[in-house]
Amino acid sequence: MARFKLVFFTPIASTQHILRHLFEQFPRNVGRIGAYGGCAFVSRGTGQFVPLDGANPTIGEVGRPEQVEEDRVEVVVQETPGAGSGSGAGAAEGSERGVGMHRVLEELRKVHPYEEVAYDVYRLEDF
């Protein structure tokens, strides 16, 4: 089973809501380290961006540089057997199909307040 580190950036006010949602949706897959659940590392920083033409920014205005206090959130994601690269109904916790990274990202995009979610995914190795 593949393991990943998911890192995403979010406005401070949304951090705990997003984490709670992911932990509830995927209690065996997201934030699980051994006999501990709900594990995450959160650090503060300043994100910056310029919404371009066609953007519908949650924060800021098109064409104007913006800086936002954000959290960098890191969680471990454990894929479960039967996880394919696709997503869709039936992939949630407790279903016949496994849970894959694509399904977790789909759920992150649903609950995150930003139009474009900034995230990184790292494949983890066992040593």
Side-chain angles (χ1 to χ4, degrees), residues 8 12-13 16-18 23 34 43 47 56-58 74 76 81 92 99 105 110:
F8 62 92
I12 294 165
Q16 290 306 311
H17 172 72
I18 293 169
F23 295 154
S43 54
N56 183 22
T58 302
E74 302 181 37
V76 174
V99 173
L105 291 173
K110 277 195 230 176

Side-chain angles (χ1 to χ4, degrees), residues 83-101:
S85 61
S87 60
E93 176 66 30
S95 72
E96 301 266 334
R97 291 179 54 195
V99 173
M101 191 69 229

Side-chain angles (χ1 to χ4, degrees), residues 14-126:
S14 300
T15 302
Q16 290 306 311
H17 172 72
I18 293 169
L19 282 173
R20 245 186 331 274
H21 182 82
L22 293 176
F23 295 154
E24 288 171 4
Q25 284 293 118
F26 310 107
R28 294 185 186 135
N29 306 89
V30 176
R32 183 79 179 258
I33 301 175
Y36 293 85
C39 300
F41 185 84
V42 179
S43 54
R44 244 345 82 114
T46 303
Q48 68 178 45
F49 55 90
V50 178
L52 304 175
D53 287 337
N56 183 22
T58 302
I59 298 171
E61 298 176 26
V62 171
R64 299 187 70 163
E66 186 69 44
Q67 291 190 337
V68 179
E69 289 300 307
E70 294 180 320
D71 283 335
R72 172 190 169 107
V73 180
E74 302 181 37
V75 293
V76 174
V77 177
Q78 174 79 44
E79 287 190 330
T80 53
S85 61
S87 60
E93 176 66 30
S95 72
E96 301 266 334
R97 291 179 54 195
V99 173
M101 191 69 229
H102 290 279
R103 177 70 181 101
V104 173
L105 291 173
E106 179 182 279
E107 203 63 35
L108 173 63
R109 287 185 198 100
K110 277 195 230 176
V111 72
H112 199 288
Y114 286 171
E115 178 179 29
E116 297 289 340
V117 180
Y119 65 87
D120 301 314
V121 176
Y122 304 94
R123 182 179 293 275
L124 301 178
E125 299 291 333
D126 290 323

